Amino acid sequence: MTTGPPAADADGPRFPTAPPRRRPTMKDIAERAGVSPSAVSFALNDRDGVSPGTRARIREVAEELGWQPNSAARALSGERSGCVGLVLARPAHTLGVESFFLQLVSGIQEALAARRVALLFQVVEDLEDECATYRRWWAERRVDGVLVVDPRTEDPRPALLTSLALPAVVIGDTRTGAGTGVGMRADSGTATDTAAGTGTEAAPSAPLSTIWADDAAAMRSIIDHLYELGHRRIVHVAGLPGLAHTERRVAALRAEATRLGLDTAAVHSVSTDYSDEQGAEATRRLLAAPRPPTAIVYDNDVMAVAGAAVAAGRGVPVPGALSIVAWDDSPLCRVTHPRLTSLVRDTAGFGRLAARELLSLLDGAPTRRLQAELPHLELRESTTRAP
């Protein structure tokens, strides 16, 4: 009997495909190593019951076969999934250009990789979808804990995560006032209490750990710098309203303007979605006003660069007629002409600190509050004396 060419259809010839490779099981390891399946289970789960030599041989065979533990089965058995989650409820179009979250996730991933823990990342439409994602992950036992970003002024997530008993670290302070609270800092993942030297601020009754940055102090440093340069009309192009850090920066701006005796009508904040489009549009409106600002503070780097481009297009020289400050430093701020005065902070270190704190919670450590390194203002060519 002879065979003809492979069957063909309208889309061309069909070729036989190999069946998908079956994942190796503990039974396969047992057969290859010549031991019982229970011995394999003991060896791969670091339990007593097998000799060191047998344990080493089993692990060697498991590596040869490419065996990996089944995370779903481990979760059902009460073991860790080996994964933590991060949900971001922000406009998706703002993420590709904003460097802050890229650097934050880079630091998070670096700390998790050292412990061979995976990061499950998801972008959702709004806070309701974010809460639904937490409930689903909890029900499916997909993650051991979560990292929570963008604390809100009205935030249902802490109560939800507490009710689920899902370990969590909130990245960002939940307080919205202009005050800073305690004086703590943590550099390169090590927390220190600058007032008392006790190391960390324990929060045994708190359901979640918090890693926070002093946005109020950072805003004061910017306004004080601009005030010393003679600026009296200063506008803050802020991010999304309702975020705790946005409200904290707005409150700090207002408080510092009052302290310095500035006209609060000339020193104020306007809201955006963090995108370059809305940053540019806000700048157009401000520069078209009867008494335009002499200085603008932008809540991120992309809005600051967009604002500088708008000023150039309208023939407004920077810094001759308009000084510009970017809240977050990035390569964009350093290659723009003129280079932009920016707040510089170790965002990746912020992420590492948060991830390490979550891993500590999973290891049984108590919850606590840690303050990240205070950003410093890097002076460049985009700020000068007021015209």
Side-chain angles (χ1 to χ4, degrees):
M1 181 177 179
T2 60
T3 60
D9 58 20
D11 296 323
R14 292 185 306 224
F15 294 94
T17 57
R21 180 183 175 187
R22 183 175 63 86
R23 293 185 177 89
T25 65
M26 286 190 177
K27 184 178 179 181
D28 297 327
I29 299 172
E31 291 176 355
R32 175 77 67 90
V35 298
S36 66
S38 60
V40 174
S41 178
F42 291 152
L44 296 180
N45 289 293
D46 290 322
R47 296 173 183 166
D48 296 332
V50 294
S51 67
T54 300
R55 188 186 305 275
R57 186 168 76 255
I58 290 172
R59 289 182 172 175
E60 182 179 353
V61 171
E63 185 175 351
E64 291 174 356
L65 294 178
W67 178 87
Q68 292 292 333
N70 186 315
S71 59
R74 291 175 63 185
L76 290 172
S77 67
E79 297 184 44
R80 291 186 184 178
S81 67
C83 182
V84 299
L86 172 62
V87 184
L88 193 57
R90 276 206 185 185
H93 71 278
T94 67
L95 301 181
V97 294
E98 190 173 2
S99 64
F100 174 82
F101 277 108
L102 297 177
Q103 295 178 47
L104 184 73
V105 171
S106 172
I108 290 171
Q109 184 59 41
E110 182 181 343
L112 295 180
R115 290 278 297 271
R116 303 185 68 179
V117 173
L119 177 65
L120 181 57
F121 177 69
Q122 186 163 344
V123 178
V124 297
E125 288 294 325
D126 51 35
L127 201 58
E128 183 178 349
D129 287 343
E130 181 175 345
C131 290
T133 300
Y134 293 141
R135 294 189 187 95
R136 184 176 69 254
W137 283 354
W138 172 82
E140 297 173 354
R141 302 183 183 183
R142 296 285 300 278
V143 297
D144 300 317
V146 293
L147 295 159
V148 180
V149 297
D150 288 341
R152 264 67 169 182
T153 53
E154 299 291 336
D155 203 328
R157 295 173 296 176
L160 170 63
L161 295 171
T162 301
S163 69
L164 298 176
L166 190 60
V169 172
V170 178
I171 302 176
D173 203 350
T174 56
R175 299 170 297 181
T176 58
T180 60
V182 296
M184 297 171 51
R185 67 181 281 167
D187 297 321
S188 305
T190 302
T192 58
D193 188 329
T194 57
T198 57
T200 60
E201 179 190 359
S205 61
L208 316 170
S209 281
T210 301
I211 308 297
W212 64 287
D214 197 342
D215 293 290
M219 178 59 83
R220 287 195 297 270
S221 71
I222 294 173
I223 301 306
D224 290 350
H225 167 64
L226 294 174
Y227 181 84
E228 290 173 0
L229 291 175
H231 294 278
R232 301 297 182 264
R233 299 197 303 275
I234 306 169
V235 176
H236 168 217
V237 177
L240 292 165
L243 298 182
H245 71 258
T246 299
E247 301 303 324
R248 195 162 50 249
R249 294 174 190 179
V250 170
L253 173 71
R254 189 181 302 117
E256 194 65 2
T258 300
R259 186 185 73 82
L260 296 172
L262 300 177
D263 180 3
T264 54
V267 180
H268 62 277
S269 300
V270 296
S271 298
T272 69
D273 66 355
Y274 287 108
S275 69
D276 55 331
E277 293 91 346
Q278 290 202 11
E281 179 57 32
T283 306
R284 293 188 192 98
R285 292 197 307 269
L286 293 171
L287 295 182
R291 297 184 70 229
T294 62
I296 302 179
V297 181
Y298 295 87
D299 254 2
N300 68 13
D301 54 339
V302 294
M303 291 198 299
V305 172
V310 168
R314 296 178 66 93
V316 178
V318 176
L322 176 69
S323 287
I324 289 179
V325 178
W327 190 274
D328 286 315
D329 189 34
S330 75
L332 276 177
C333 298
R334 298 190 291 273
V335 300
T336 299
H337 180 75
R339 298 185 307 154
L340 302 184
T341 294
S342 308
L343 273 180
V344 177
R345 59 178 168 180
D346 184 5
T347 304
F350 199 29
R352 286 192 298 271
L353 181 61
R356 288 168 182 163
E357 180 64 17
L358 181 56
L359 294 173
S360 295
L361 289 183
L362 297 179
D363 291 338
T367 59
R368 56 186 181 168
R369 286 176 52 85
L370 298 172
Q371 183 178 353
E373 178 184 6
L374 182 67
H376 70 274
L377 193 60
E378 183 77 18
L379 303 183
R380 301 192 182 109
E381 294 87 0
S382 69
T383 52
T384 190
R385 296 201 61 82

